Amino acid sequence: MRGEVAPTQYEYRGVRADGSVFWLENRVRPIIWCGEPAIQATVMDISRRKKAEQALHLSEEHFRSGFEDGPIGVCFVDCDLRFIRVNRAFCDMTGYTNDELLNLTTLDLALDEDFASGSPKPDTTPHNFSDFSVRKKYVQKDKGIVWVRVSAHWIYDDDRQPAYRLTLVENVTDRVQARLAVEASERRFRNLVEGSIQGVLIHRNDRPLFVNETWAQIFGYTADEVHRTDST
């Protein structure tokens, strides 16, 4: 356009003689040719570079989408365990907003029991650069408790110094509560049958899995003797 300085370097798509489209980089500069002003244009086929850039951009978009919209909580923390980036799943899990978490550390999500033991825990110990995978509890913003599986890996810079920790956090509350419910049910059942005045036998393929003392006394055995037998 008139009144504007023409660019000296730019990219555009060209068409070859066979009709195929390719990317070009054009560089221009003013020169003197045969004593008169002229423009020298240098062109380079940059199709491969453009494809690589597009592939990198697509990969970054996929990562960004997976990070932001994935079902697993993901967070990055620095050497002081301060959150520097978190995804939506982690926010939902803890009850905090993104901005709130960026003003907190992993210590703010820890329970008192995390500090009760004499041995330091990697998730609550600054400048502990060991990778780890643990199951633990987080305190949510509303003081609720959520069971999580935390898997962490430290990322190092070019000087082999710890840069940040990538942490995957899975909400396993439903799984833990289901297991605890089964264990509680089994305890209640065992307490019920062990004190029963009726003999109780549980077996599989004629092999005793459990007998109470009443059953053993009826047949003149101890419970340990019954458990050592191959059949009833």
Side-chain angles (χ1 to χ4, degrees), residues 10-13 22-25 44-58:
Y10 53 93
E11 299 174 357
Y12 63 97
R13 286 182 296 179
F22 68 110
W23 277 95
L24 289 164
E25 180 183 83
M44 180 182 301
D45 184 343
I46 59 171
S47 300
R48 289 185 177 180
R49 190 184 80 194
K50 295 298 287 186
K51 287 182 178 179
E53 290 175 352
Q54 291 168 355
L56 177 61
H57 177 72
L58 183 61

Side-chain angles (χ1 to χ4, degrees), residues 79 128-131 153-166:
C79 297
N128 184 327
F129 303 120
S130 58
D131 294 347
H153 174 67
W154 279 95
I155 307 298
Y156 292 79
D157 60 23
D158 293 340
D159 296 324
R160 298 302 301 160
Q161 297 299 313
Y164 59 88
R165 192 182 76 191
L166 168 63

Side-chain angles (χ1 to χ4, degrees), residues 192-218:
L192 178 64
V193 299
E194 284 183 345
S196 175
I197 62 174
Q198 295 178 321
V200 179
L201 164 69
I202 300 175
H203 65 89
R204 181 185 299 118
N205 298 326
D206 293 331
R207 188 180 185 87
L209 302 176
F210 171 82
V211 298
N212 66 353
E213 288 294 338
T214 303
W215 192 98
Q217 291 172 6
I218 290 174

Side-chain angles (χ1 to χ4, degrees), residues 1 4-11 26-30 39-40:
M1 296 179 64
E4 294 184 359
V5 178
T8 59
Q9 179 178 337
Y10 53 93
E11 299 174 357
N26 193 23
R27 299 187 180 189
V28 298
R29 67 186 182 94
I39 299 295
Q40 175 183 303

Side-chain angles (χ1 to χ4, degrees), residues 73-93:
V74 183
C75 60
F76 297 89
V77 301
D78 63 18
C79 297
D80 294 318
L81 304 185
R82 184 173 297 280
F83 294 110
I84 55 179
R85 188 176 180 183
V86 297
N87 72 345
R88 186 178 297 109
F90 190 76
C91 292
D92 293 342
M93 191 183 310

